[in-house]
Amino acid sequence: MRSPRRCSRNGCPRQAVATLTYVYNESTAVVGPLAAFAEPHTYDLCEPHARSLTAPRGWDVVRHEGEFEPPPPTTDDLVALAEAVREAARPVTPRPPEDDQTAHPSPHTGRRGHLRVIPPNH
């Protein structure tokens, strides 16, 4: 399942609810509602970072005055969730043993989960 977009600030685990865009030719930082798609030259922010953003001296900040709402789930999210539930509900079929060495490993071979130890050539 696709995870929700996260805040772009380093180390912040919160969900993004706003998008920051810099308008360089006007020396303006614009913080608005979360854009529909992540764009390469924008930054997704959580609510605390969107509310506390400051700009360099001489720059203006234009900030959305309403509430920042988390985006609603998209159809893709719901389809992915339904597929994950179906996959988890499928019965697991047991795998047949690979060979006799697996059942009775020699002192120089063994198994750890899906890994098998192979002895060096003498």
Side-chain angles (χ1 to χ4, degrees), residues 101 108-110 115-121:
Q101 277 192 344
H108 299 290
T109 63
L115 303 175
R116 185 172 61 196
V117 177
I118 300 175
N121 292 337

Side-chain angles (χ1 to χ4, degrees), residues 68-85:
F68 289 114
E69 299 288 329
T74 65
T75 304
D76 292 344
D77 292 337
L78 296 175
V79 170
L81 178 60
E83 288 176 5
V85 168

Side-chain angles (χ1 to χ4, degrees), residues 33-115:
L34 187 65
F37 300 99
E39 296 290 332
H41 300 290
T42 62
Y43 303 90
D44 294 337
L45 300 174
C46 63
E47 186 164 3
H49 285 127
R51 298 265 180 230
S52 65
L53 179 87
T54 60
R57 187 175 303 156
W59 281 60
D60 294 321
V61 176
V62 176
R63 194 180 325 266
H64 174 71
E65 292 299 322
E67 293 295 316
F68 289 114
E69 299 288 329
T74 65
T75 304
D76 292 344
D77 292 337
L78 296 175
V79 170
L81 178 60
E83 288 176 5
V85 168
R86 276 189 222 109
E87 180 69 26
R90 285 189 187 135
V92 178
T93 56
R95 292 185 354 183
E98 291 181 17
D99 56 21
D100 289 338
Q101 277 192 344
T102 304
H104 306 289
S106 72
H108 299 290
T109 63
R111 255 182 110 67
R112 291 260 174 143
H114 67 284
L115 303 175

Side-chain angles (χ1 to χ4, degrees), residues 1-6 77:
M1 184 169 111
R2 192 175 50 156
S3 62
R5 287 163 40 194
R6 298 283 174 207
D77 292 337

